[in-house]
């Protein structure tokens, strides 16, 4: 390579290195030249204008009242004077100190009387109220609406007040005096009396946790699904085993009996959804599609549609006859733990481990409403048999909602456990069953917890095997059946001997907390 060519290469290399260094310096300079954390200095004119506008828009109804607050901030004081000067309002009763006047005619000013002493807050208040109202104030009172009138006219709630207190305006010498008057707080209405429930039968037979439960429409028998992979059918009156069905290869998580056909549907952690023909006691249909364990299922009450929910974060709508997947309901971000169907809109309700409840449009396969009030997994949802309402269970609270938009009604607080199941009857008894074996019974209307049950585990079981996975009322609603972790099925009924005198409601009219999320 010639010397000339080498020199040109050197020039290029020097230039490129210089350019890179310059760019690095410029980038560093741009990064640190601006101090973004430094607050912007306040422009006094802008601040005055802002405060004047705020006074006019928010406080104009009360600007004619006496200013009795001492040690006002300088900016606020100047803004008020600026506003009153613009509007032609006289600054009335600006109590800034005692006047340096002698105490009587012919008395000379002394060093003591010349000092302006600031009055106390109470003295200023009493002085302002003792002064006679000027004519301009009386005119303003006759023409101007009060703050409450303005808020009521605008359709807004008045400003919140301290609990149990209400502001009452009293006329004293033509001036308005705000006085605190105790107001009776809203109290919980007296709950309906319900007889206590007592355990009267324990049924054994399963070799694993009893995970699911359903009563057939004729109220002659009921069916259970277990972690021993079997489905068992029991006589409801005697509690004796009638039939065992095998076919699932993992825990049976859901069972339901059709009221429109002699079919039993089941689902399990083996991803399978089966349809059993109870005339032949055989599986006649499989519904394939879920990618993980199927946690629950429900039948539509009026059409031949089955809805299942799964750990794959979806719920699926199936045509019972053709086995076709009509819709896949996508939207939850974690396992869907429970699903319920009803004839009215919204026809499908799901609860998920992502802490949300979704109300679905079944025709379009889309979410109508998402309820995000719960803070923990929603494992149970139950629909009221008569009212257009439903309840959801989570470790944080049991919540009641109103259809069709999922408006919040009230919290049922106190069952501090993982709630696996909910059941409600037409009499307004809501039952919540928890993972620690406790069962709470509530009055649906008031949310009053009238009974707590913790049944002993089956002899030979560990105390840690105390857990309720499912519960339901039978069709007569006189018996309550629970599926438990000690491998038993427990049946409860109302105590016929109990009366309101022997078991009074230990109810206190506490302050309502119904509208608290």
């Amino acid at each position: 390579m010639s010397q000339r060519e080498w020199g040109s290469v050197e020039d290029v290399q020097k230039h490129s290195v210089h350019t890179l260094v310059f760019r690095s310096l410029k980038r560093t300079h741009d990064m640190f030249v601006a101090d973004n954390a430094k607050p912007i200095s306040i422009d006094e004119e802008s601040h005055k204008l802002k405060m004047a506008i705020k006074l006019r828009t928010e406080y104009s109804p009360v600007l004619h009242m006496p200013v009795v607050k001492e040690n006002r901030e300088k900016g606020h004081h100047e803004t008020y004077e600026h506003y009153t000067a613009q509007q032609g309002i006289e600054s009335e009763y600006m109590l800034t100190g005692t006047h340096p006047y002698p105490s009587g005619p012919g008395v000379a000013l002394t060093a003591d009387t010349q000092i302006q002493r600031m009055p106390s807050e109470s003295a200023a208040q009493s002085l302002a109220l003792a002064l006679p109202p000027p004519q301009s104030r009386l005119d303003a009172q006759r023409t101007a609406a009060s703050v409450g009138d303005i808020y009521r006219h605008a359709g807004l709630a008045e400003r919140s007040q301290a609990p149990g207190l209400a502001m009452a305006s009293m006329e004293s010498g033509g001036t308005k005096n705000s006085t605190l008057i105790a107001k009776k707080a809203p109290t919980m209405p007296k709950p309906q009396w319900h007889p206590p429930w007592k355990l009267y039968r324990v049924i054994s037979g399963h070799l694993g946790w009893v995970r699911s439960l359903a009563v057939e429409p004729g109220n002659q028998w009921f069916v259970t699904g277990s972690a021993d992979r079997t489905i068992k059918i029991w006589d409801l009156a005697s509690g004796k085993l009638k039939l065992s069905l095998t076919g699932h290869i993992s825990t049976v998580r859901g069972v339901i009996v059709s009221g429109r056909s002699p079919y039993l549907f089941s689902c399990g952690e083996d991803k399978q959804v089966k349809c059993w023909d109870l005339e032949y006691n055989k599986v006649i249909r499989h519904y394939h599609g879920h990618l993980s364990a199927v946690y629950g299922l429900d039948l539509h009450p009026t059409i031949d549609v089955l809805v299942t929910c799964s750990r794959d974060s979806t719920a699926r709508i199936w045509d019972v006859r053709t086995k076709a997947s009509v819709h896949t309901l996508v939207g939850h971000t974690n396992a869907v733990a429970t699903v319920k169907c009803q004839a009215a809109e919204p026809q499908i309700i799901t609860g998920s481990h992502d802490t949300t409840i979704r109300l679905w449009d079944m025709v379009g396969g889309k979410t109508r409403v998402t309820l995000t009030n719960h803070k923990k997994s929603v494992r149970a949802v139950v629909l009221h048999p008569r009212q257009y309402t439903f309840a959801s269970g989570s470790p944080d609270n049991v919540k009641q909602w109103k259809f069709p938009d999922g408006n919040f009604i009230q919290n049922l607080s106190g069952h501090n456990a993982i709630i696996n199941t909910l059941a409600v009857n037409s009499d307004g008894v809501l039952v919540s069953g928890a993972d620690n074996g406790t069962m709470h019974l509530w009055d649906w209307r008031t949310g009053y917890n009238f009974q707590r049950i913790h049944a002993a585990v089956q002899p030979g079981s560990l105390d840690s095997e105390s857990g309720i996975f499912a519960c339901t009322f039978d069709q007569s609603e006189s018996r309550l059946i629970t599926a438990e972790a000690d491998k038993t099925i427990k049946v409860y009924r109302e105590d016929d001997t109990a009366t309101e005198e022997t078991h009074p409601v230990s109810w206190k009219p506490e302050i309502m907390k119904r509208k608290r999320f």
Side-chain angles (χ1 to χ4, degrees):
M1 183 182 290
S2 66
Q3 188 176 357
R4 188 175 182 180
E5 290 174 347
W6 177 258
S8 64
V9 170
E10 271 190 345
D11 293 341
V12 172
Q13 287 177 344
K14 284 180 181 178
H15 180 71
S16 60
V17 172
H18 178 270
T19 303
L20 291 174
V21 172
F22 177 75
R23 286 177 181 171
S24 177
L25 287 171
K26 185 176 185 302
R27 200 174 293 122
T28 307
H29 178 268
D30 292 342
M31 188 182 300
F32 294 102
V33 70
D35 187 1
N36 294 321
K38 186 177 180 181
I40 301 172
S41 58
I42 298 176
D43 180 56
E44 289 193 8
E45 291 297 325
S46 301
H47 184 67
K48 286 183 180 181
L49 182 61
K50 173 186 172 183
M51 297 310 297
I53 293 171
K54 186 173 183 179
L55 275 169
R56 185 183 299 116
T57 56
E58 297 187 18
Y59 302 107
S60 56
V62 294
L63 281 177
H64 63 276
M65 298 180 69
V67 179
V68 296
K69 186 171 178 60
E70 301 173 23
N71 300 327
R72 297 173 61 90
E73 294 180 13
K74 182 180 178 183
H76 290 211
H77 184 72
E78 290 178 354
T79 309
Y80 177 78
E81 290 178 345
H82 175 67
Y83 174 75
T84 52
Q86 281 187 343
Q87 299 296 322
I89 301 174
E90 57 186 65
S91 299
E92 301 160 349
Y93 307 146
M94 286 292 291
L95 303 175
T96 58
T98 55
H99 298 282
Y101 292 148
S103 57
V107 179
L109 289 173
T110 64
D112 292 332
T113 56
Q114 284 179 351
I115 297 174
Q116 296 191 21
R117 292 188 178 87
M118 297 299 293
S120 64
E121 185 78 26
S122 58
Q125 175 76 29
S126 59
L127 178 59
L129 295 177
L131 291 172
Q135 188 62 35
S136 59
R137 172 92 55 78
L138 295 175
D139 295 339
Q141 286 178 352
R142 281 196 294 268
T143 57
S146 67
V147 179
D149 294 336
I150 293 170
Y151 276 111
R152 282 191 291 272
H153 181 70
L156 301 173
E158 294 191 39
R159 294 180 184 177
S160 59
Q161 301 162 357
L165 296 175
M167 298 297 291
S169 294
M170 299 179 65
E171 296 294 330
S172 174
T175 60
K176 293 187 177 179
N177 178 19
S178 297
T179 310
L180 291 175
I181 296 177
K183 180 183 177 183
K184 188 177 179 181
T187 56
M188 179 189 292
K190 187 173 181 179
Q192 177 187 348
W193 182 81
H194 301 282
W197 292 70
K198 63 179 183 179
L199 177 67
Y200 83 99
R201 177 174 291 149
V202 178
I203 303 171
S204 301
H206 277 295
L207 302 177
W209 288 354
V210 188
R211 296 303 303 252
S212 51
L213 183 63
V215 179
E216 64 100 9
N219 212 38
Q220 299 299 312
W221 48 268
F222 67 96
V223 57
T224 56
S226 169
D228 63 10
R229 302 170 294 178
T230 65
I231 299 168
K232 292 184 183 289
I233 296 176
W234 312 82
D235 183 71
L236 187 58
S238 64
K240 292 182 179 179
L241 179 64
K242 297 181 69 172
L243 182 68
S244 290
L245 301 172
T246 57
H248 280 282
I249 57 175
S250 190
T251 302
V252 182
R253 293 294 294 266
V255 288
I256 189 166
V257 184
S258 172
R260 300 165 56 85
S261 52
Y263 295 156
L264 163 69
F265 296 87
S266 65
C267 65
E269 293 180 3
D270 51 11
K271 311 178 193 176
Q272 296 183 14
V273 181
K274 297 176 183 286
C275 174
W276 304 77
D277 188 331
L278 295 176
E279 292 179 348
Y280 299 95
N281 300 330
K282 290 182 180 179
V283 178
I284 58 170
R285 297 188 186 106
H286 285 92
Y287 302 89
H288 297 286
H290 279 297
L291 306 177
S292 190
V294 187
Y295 282 167
L297 76 173
D298 199 14
L299 283 166
H300 196 282
T302 56
I303 56 177
D304 287 327
V305 161
L306 173 70
V307 185
T308 57
C309 62
S310 168
R311 195 172 65 188
D312 62 12
S313 306
T314 67
R316 286 179 178 260
I317 304 174
W318 309 90
D319 186 320
V320 170
R321 294 174 184 169
T322 65
K323 300 180 288 184
S325 179
V326 180
H327 284 301
T328 301
L329 306 179
V330 179
H332 284 294
T333 58
N334 207 330
V336 185
T338 179
V339 62
K340 294 294 176 185
C341 291
Q342 62 176 1
E345 291 291 344
Q347 297 183 53
I348 299 173
I349 302 95
T350 56
S352 168
H353 288 283
D354 65 7
T355 75
T356 66
I357 302 163
R358 285 179 181 255
L359 314 182
W360 299 86
D361 173 17
M362 192 177 75
V363 177
K366 300 294 175 72
T367 303
R368 286 168 55 104
V369 181
T370 303
L371 307 175
T372 59
N373 302 46
H374 281 292
K375 296 177 178 63
K376 294 186 179 179
S377 301
V378 181
R379 298 169 186 256
V381 168
V382 66
L383 313 183
H384 194 284
R386 292 182 180 174
Q387 299 177 15
Y388 198 37
T389 55
F390 72 103
S392 59
S394 174
D396 57 0
N397 264 316
V398 177
K399 295 181 185 289
Q400 289 179 340
W401 315 85
K402 189 183 297 183
F403 286 125
D405 299 322
N407 297 323
F408 176 77
I409 301 174
Q410 66 179 341
N411 277 330
L412 281 63
S413 302
H415 203 170
N416 301 316
I418 298 172
I419 295 174
N420 289 321
T421 178
L422 293 172
V424 64
N425 65 10
S426 301
D427 196 33
V429 176
L430 173 67
V431 181
S432 57
D435 215 41
N436 60 1
T438 60
M439 189 164 62
H440 285 205
L441 286 80
W442 314 79
D443 177 52
W444 178 274
R445 183 175 63 90
T446 61
Y448 171 71
N449 180 206
F450 69 89
Q451 189 180 3
R452 300 183 180 186
I453 301 172
H454 192 173
V457 296
Q458 185 182 27
S461 300
L462 301 173
D463 287 339
S464 59
E465 289 186 306
S466 175
I468 300 173
F469 293 117
C471 69
T472 186
F473 289 96
D474 70 346
Q475 303 299 335
S476 68
E477 299 182 337
S478 62
R479 284 170 286 195
L480 174 65
I481 310 168
T482 63
E484 310 214 359
D486 62 356
K487 306 171 189 175
T488 66
I489 301 140
K490 295 185 174 70
V491 187
Y492 296 81
R493 66 183 175 194
E494 291 180 336
D495 187 353
D496 298 332
T497 61
T499 63
E500 197 165 356
E501 286 74 26
T502 59
H503 292 79
V505 176
S506 58
W507 160 81
K508 295 179 181 178
E510 297 174 349
I511 295 175
M512 288 174 59
K513 299 179 181 178
R514 301 180 62 171
K515 284 292 180 183
R516 221 170 262 182
F517 282 72

